[in-house]
Amino acid sequence: MVRGPTYSMPHRRRRERRTDYEKRSALVISGLPRMVVRASSKHTSVQFVEAKPQGDQVHAAAKSTELGELAWKYGGGNLPAAYLTGMLAGLRAIKKGLHKAILDIGLRRVSKGARVFSALKGAVDAGVEIPHDKEVLPSDARVKGEHIASYAKKLSTDPERYRAQFSGYLSRRLKPEDLPSVFEKAKERIASLGKEPQKETRK
């Protein structure tokens, strides 16, 4: 699709809308490791990545699929799961000696309270220093899933709608009303990992 003799073909990943090279360059120039957050409809992943001449080096990472072994059973596509994933990755980054980072949300538009910022909040609470505007972070209540539990209680007066809305949870014998308490247990379990002996840190 030629547009003239001076037309320059964009890089493949830019054409595929996977990488904004101008934005990425600014992040790399910062000199800080990038906290790379990617979220799909069902999962969240977080990586702490450092740019090297030979390519990106991943120092610490976590995926929401790991949360099932840490007392969390409500899937990886919601705000609480994003927070827990960010916290888990943040604790792992701290153990590797990474105490500062800069957020990389890829091509996503900034949306207040989004899952990427829930993951950011989790990493910050784990102890990683990441520049951010507090206004974009979701509230503590939403991070805990209280909005989900509240909506479930409201729908409980209409059993048909309740079953239709929360069929995924109910099929696994999970009550959406219990989500905040399960979140707290999972958070405590993940936080306990940060109290384990640390490995030698980078200087």
Side-chain angles (χ1 to χ4, degrees), residues 81-148:
Y83 174 93
L84 296 172
T85 304
M87 185 178 186
L88 180 59
L91 289 173
R92 289 173 175 172
I94 292 290
K95 285 192 173 185
K96 290 293 183 70
L98 298 180
H99 298 276
K100 295 182 179 181
I102 189 167
L103 182 64
D104 179 349
I105 63 173
L107 298 177
R108 281 183 172 271
R109 293 182 178 179
V110 174
S111 178
K112 181 179 178 180
R115 278 185 293 154
V116 292
F117 297 120
S118 186
L120 167 64
K121 184 178 177 70
V124 169
D125 287 351
V128 184
E129 185 178 331
I130 304 171
H132 65 278
D133 182 349
K134 292 183 179 180
E135 291 297 318
V136 303
L137 301 179
S139 67
D140 290 339
R142 289 184 65 82
V143 163
K144 294 177 183 178
E146 290 181 4
H147 61 296
I148 299 174

Side-chain angles (χ1 to χ4, degrees), residues 10-21 107:
H11 293 295
R12 176 179 58 81
R13 291 182 63 87
R14 181 54 184 166
R15 295 199 309 270
E16 296 173 351
R17 298 183 179 181
R18 297 173 63 187
T19 302
D20 183 336
Y21 285 96
L107 298 177

Side-chain angles (χ1 to χ4, degrees), residues 31-52:
L32 293 173
R34 298 175 357 254
M35 177 187 172
V36 181
V37 183
R38 299 293 182 264
S40 68
S41 60
K42 294 183 178 180
H43 301 293
T44 303
S45 68
V46 177
Q47 293 181 322
F48 284 86
V49 178
E50 189 172 6
K52 297 287 186 179

